[in-house]
């Protein structure tokens, strides 16, 4: 008989999300291009030396188009300064000086469905302690994962400072 309950990272990740005790969070708000955008990005330490990232975002630009969906780039930027319509966030967080899309700050894109997106994924390129005080940015376009230095992802439409919990 086949065993149906195997111990895998997914079980640990599910437990982390259910307990809802992240080590850091960023409350993301929209700028002038997307003033109704808001959301929460949470960062959880895992027993696998990586980080579980959960993002829930409302008010993405495709909200007014019935049945629409679109991709939005999600990145960690160097500086936690969301002032002046997010112009002070610096470049992507890139401590190993890797080309795009191998920066530690290059995250999976959000898939917005009529303005709403939820995503959870695992990343082993940084620890939560490495990103405290940096910013999470949502861009207007998808990341093409090719164009240097940042994937031709368009303007910054949302920003939040990553803070320890």
């Amino acid at each position: 008989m086949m065993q149906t309950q195997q111990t895998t990272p997914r079980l640990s990740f599910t437990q982390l999300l259910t307990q809802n005790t992240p080590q850091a969070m960023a409350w993301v708000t929209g700028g002038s291009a997307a003033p109704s955008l808001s959301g929460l990005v949470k960062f959880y330490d895992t027993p696998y030396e990586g980080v579980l990232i959960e993002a829930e975002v409302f008010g993405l630009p495709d909200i007014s188009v019935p049945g629409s969906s679109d991709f939005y780039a999600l990145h960690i930027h160097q500086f936690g300064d969301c002032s002046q319509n997010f112009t002070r966030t610096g470049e992507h967080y890139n401590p190993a000086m890797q080309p795009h899309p191998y920066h530690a700050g290059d995250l999976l894109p959000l898939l917005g469905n009529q303005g709403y997106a939820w995503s959870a994924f695992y990343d082993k390129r940084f620890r939560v302690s490495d990103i405290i005080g940096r910013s999470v940015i949502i861009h207007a376009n998808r990341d093409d994962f090719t164009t240097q230095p940042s994937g031709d992802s368009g303007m910054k439409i949302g920003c939040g400072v990553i803070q320890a919990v």
Side-chain angles (χ1 to χ4, degrees), residues 23-106:
Q23 282 65 53
M25 295 190 307
W27 183 253
V28 178
T29 57
S32 61
S36 63
L37 188 151
S38 66
L40 191 58
V41 181
K42 300 176 187 177
F43 301 89
Y44 299 84
D45 284 324
T46 73
Y48 305 100
E49 298 181 14
V51 177
L52 182 64
I53 299 130
E54 179 187 26
E56 184 174 31
V57 180
F58 302 86
L60 290 163
D62 63 345
I63 193 168
S64 64
V65 182
S68 66
S69 64
D70 205 354
F71 285 98
Y72 301 89
L74 181 67
H75 298 133
I76 297 173
H77 281 243
Q78 293 172 306
F79 308 120
D81 185 348
C82 293
S83 66
Q84 296 186 6
N85 211 30
F86 320 140
T87 60
R88 295 181 167 197
T89 60
E91 300 299 322
H92 291 184
Y93 173 57
N94 189 10
M97 303 306 294
Q98 296 292 311
H100 184 75
Y102 305 105
H103 304 154
D106 293 327

